[in-house]
Amino acid sequence: MCRQLAEPQTSDDDLSITSDYDTSSMSVSARALINIWIPSAFLRGKSSDAHHVYQVYVRIRDEEWNIYRRYAQFYELHSSVKKVHVAVNSFDFPPKKALGNKVCCRVLK
């Protein structure tokens, strides 16, 4: 079962970047209980309104979700979770600059 949450609308102006992470060849017992990865990012808007929307894929056992949000929304979630679950403090959140910029449309921001 794969659920789509807030899937972004697509248009001819949108650019996307995808990854090829695939666990289909792994047996269920060989997979981690929780898998999280970013299979794609989409550039939305034009000029000063341009921004990226990230697809984050989450699998917990046999449940799957695709979540589409902007960087700031994921950062806000990470900050909130750190306050409640101290163990999350050991996980670094990637800085926005480390993922690229909007100058090149084929690079993640």
Side-chain angles (χ1 to χ4, degrees), residues 8-16 42-46:
Q9 298 175 355
T10 59
S11 74
D12 293 337
D13 296 330
D14 294 332
L15 297 174
S16 65
F42 306 89
L43 182 60
R44 303 287 184 194
K46 294 184 181 191

Side-chain angles (χ1 to χ4, degrees), residues 1-73:
M1 168 189 339
C2 187
R3 297 182 185 134
Q4 299 286 331
L5 302 179
E7 184 171 343
Q9 298 175 355
T10 59
S11 74
D12 293 337
D13 296 330
D14 294 332
L15 297 174
S16 65
I17 299 171
T18 60
S19 70
D20 57 359
Y21 186 77
D22 182 15
T23 60
S24 61
S25 62
M26 294 179 171
S27 70
V28 173
S29 62
R31 284 194 317 225
L33 292 178
I34 299 173
N35 297 94
I36 301 171
W37 67 95
I38 304 170
S40 62
F42 306 89
L43 182 60
R44 303 287 184 194
K46 294 184 181 191
S47 63
S48 65
D49 186 41
H51 61 276
H52 283 90
V53 174
Y54 298 91
Q55 173 189 10
V56 175
Y57 179 86
V58 179
R59 176 187 291 148
I60 302 174
R61 298 189 183 190
D62 293 328
E63 296 285 327
E64 300 175 348
W65 301 270
N66 281 295
I67 304 162
Y68 298 87
R69 299 286 186 272
R70 293 178 71 164
Y71 177 93
Q73 292 171 299

